[in-house]
Amino acid sequence: MKQINQDKYLLSFFVALALVVVFLMFAQISPDFSGKLGQISLRKDTQRASADVKDIEAESFVLAGNVQKGIDLSASGGSFIEFKSSKELLPNNNIFTFYYAWWGNPTKDGSWIHWEQNGHTPPEDVGSNFYPQLGAYSSAEASVVAKHMQQIKDAGIGTIIYGWWGPGSRDDKLLPMVLDEANKQGIKVAWQIEPYGGRSISTINRDIRYLYDTYGSHPAFFKTIKQTRYGNSQNPRGLFFVYDSSAIPASHWIFLLDRLHLDPLYNPILVGNSNDACRIDGCNELTSHFDGLYGYNVAGHDDDNFGYFNDEAKKRDSFYIASVGPGFDASRATSNNNVLPR
């Protein structure tokens, strides 16, 4: 296993989804409330927030989405808003989580896949610091993926970023099933093109066209209209993240992206794996013409800089996507002992 991939496996927490939630800063997130919501105080036990009526400036005092307004003389201002339980919430397609279909077991796949990583002996002893609720499962089991998608939906997450290792790979063969199970829960699928062997600007061009041609008509395929400095199309576009994108020279990215951005069929929103806005433009040898940038490793950057990264991207008519997570500990999965406490 190459060193470049080791950090990827560090995120094998409880389930195939690495619960690293990504907030898309470039898209307008559909609000739960129609209008503005003033300061409220949430009572966790009742899921009720009290607020003065003047604080809820919704049109005709109608609250949209998964809330309702009522009258309670004991509430501040005599009014309240009440939230439905998380299981009733519709998934927000502008909140993302990385999802990896990497795991397998002898019952489904003929051998252990990834659970035995770093010398472990599953099923009881697995290469993860957290034991999955579903046991040492197979990512090829539709019932397992269905449960994952239900869990993702219950968390209010609406889009998965699917770790993809190229045409014909195991995760590519699982994609029809994953797309179907995601669609049942109203979840969309975006893509993270992984650093497979021999990856180049030529193969990434092939990959984007392959994903569009093979899966682009599926209702779970994430598409959105978002104009960027170098991708000013008003047509819906798929969303593609490229892990370790800086391994490919910037001049190669310009060559590919300037052509794809003019292609009405295969124009992607392509997001580079970097915190440096120079990867969009303005810095000569680093200029790549990405549509946006994202940070992946939650243990490798300071969240105090997120605002700066975002501001620099906005100056370039682009966006920056920050990853957040509950901590990081992969000491059982790899030799990396870098721990970020929960």
Side-chain angles (χ1 to χ4, degrees):
M1 188 56 67
K2 295 181 179 180
Q3 180 65 36
I4 195 174
N5 295 335
Q6 286 185 348
D7 285 344
K8 306 300 302 308
Y9 298 118
L10 305 184
L11 294 173
S12 66
F13 285 159
F14 306 56
V15 291
L17 58 92
L19 280 177
V20 179
V21 181
V22 178
F23 293 92
L24 272 187
M25 295 182 175
F26 68 91
Q28 180 178 353
I29 296 176
S30 301
D32 288 332
F33 310 130
S34 175
K36 299 178 182 177
L37 181 63
Q39 291 185 344
I40 60 176
S41 59
L42 181 63
R43 290 165 53 193
K44 187 175 181 180
D45 56 335
T46 61
Q47 293 185 296
R48 178 178 294 184
S50 61
D52 196 316
V53 172
K54 71 178 185 296
D55 290 332
I56 306 172
E57 299 176 0
E59 297 178 7
S60 303
F61 298 114
V62 175
L63 293 172
N66 298 287
V67 294
Q68 65 181 17
K69 185 176 76 72
I71 302 298
D72 184 347
L73 295 180
S74 66
S76 172
S79 299
F80 68 82
I81 57 175
E82 190 165 57
F83 297 81
K84 293 183 179 180
S85 70
S86 61
K87 291 187 177 181
E88 296 177 88
L89 293 175
L90 295 176
N92 187 330
N93 292 129
N94 293 315
I95 301 178
F96 290 52
T97 184
F98 292 100
Y99 184 85
Y100 302 106
W102 293 350
W103 286 268
N105 59 39
T107 302
K108 183 68 176 180
D109 308 283
S111 64
W112 292 109
I113 304 175
H114 278 301
W115 297 118
E116 84 291 2
Q117 186 173 325
N118 206 24
H120 292 283
T121 54
E124 287 79 16
D125 172 34
V126 298
S128 172
N129 290 71
F130 301 92
Y131 197 82
Q133 186 182 57
L134 301 179
Y137 59 78
S138 169
S139 298
E141 190 67 61
S143 62
V144 168
V145 177
K147 290 177 182 177
H148 288 167
M149 296 305 156
Q150 182 66 58
Q151 291 169 343
I152 292 170
K153 177 185 176 182
D154 290 348
I157 299 167
T159 303
I160 62 171
I161 303 172
Y162 188 78
W164 185 79
W165 289 82
S169 61
R170 180 174 183 266
D171 40 79
D172 183 51
K173 294 175 182 177
L174 295 178
L175 251 178
M177 180 265 289
V178 173
L179 285 162
D180 288 345
E181 294 301 331
N183 190 55
K184 291 174 184 178
Q185 301 298 334
I187 292 170
K188 302 298 183 182
V189 180
W191 317 95
Q192 180 165 254
I193 299 176
E194 304 286 359
Y196 53 78
R199 192 184 70 171
S200 66
I201 212 67
S202 176
T203 65
I204 289 175
N205 179 42
R206 173 208 66 191
D207 295 341
I208 291 171
R209 294 171 184 273
Y210 171 85
L211 288 169
Y212 268 128
D213 288 342
T214 309
Y215 307 112
S217 62
H218 197 285
F221 191 106
F222 181 93
K223 293 178 183 178
T224 190
I225 297 174
K226 173 63 182 177
Q227 291 181 301
T228 58
R229 174 167 293 188
Y230 296 102
N232 59 2
S233 171
Q234 297 186 18
N235 297 321
R237 296 191 285 163
L239 182 61
F240 302 83
F241 297 76
V242 182
Y243 184 79
D244 196 34
S245 55
S246 60
I248 295 174
S251 60
H252 293 196
W253 283 117
I254 292 178
F255 178 83
L256 173 63
L257 290 175
D258 285 357
R259 285 157 179 76
L260 284 178
H261 285 148
L262 295 175
D263 193 317
L265 296 179
Y266 300 105
N267 188 353
I269 298 175
L270 200 140
V271 190
N273 181 202
S274 175
N275 297 328
D276 189 350
C278 287
R279 294 289 179 179
I280 300 170
D281 69 11
C283 302
N284 298 322
E285 71 277 1
L286 294 181
T287 294
S288 304
H289 293 181
F290 287 120
D291 292 289
L293 302 173
Y294 77 110
Y296 179 85
N297 187 355
V298 297
H301 54 226
D302 185 349
D303 55 9
D304 290 339
N305 294 323
F306 286 165
Y308 171 77
F309 298 151
N310 189 47
D311 290 343
E312 289 300 305
K314 283 185 175 180
K315 289 178 184 177
R316 294 163 169 81
D317 302 318
S318 187
F319 57 87
Y320 173 75
I321 302 172
S323 295
V324 297
F328 183 87
D329 187 348
S331 54
R332 286 178 59 84
T334 74
S335 58
N336 188 326
N337 292 316
N338 180 23
V339 175
L340 183 66
R342 299 186 72 149

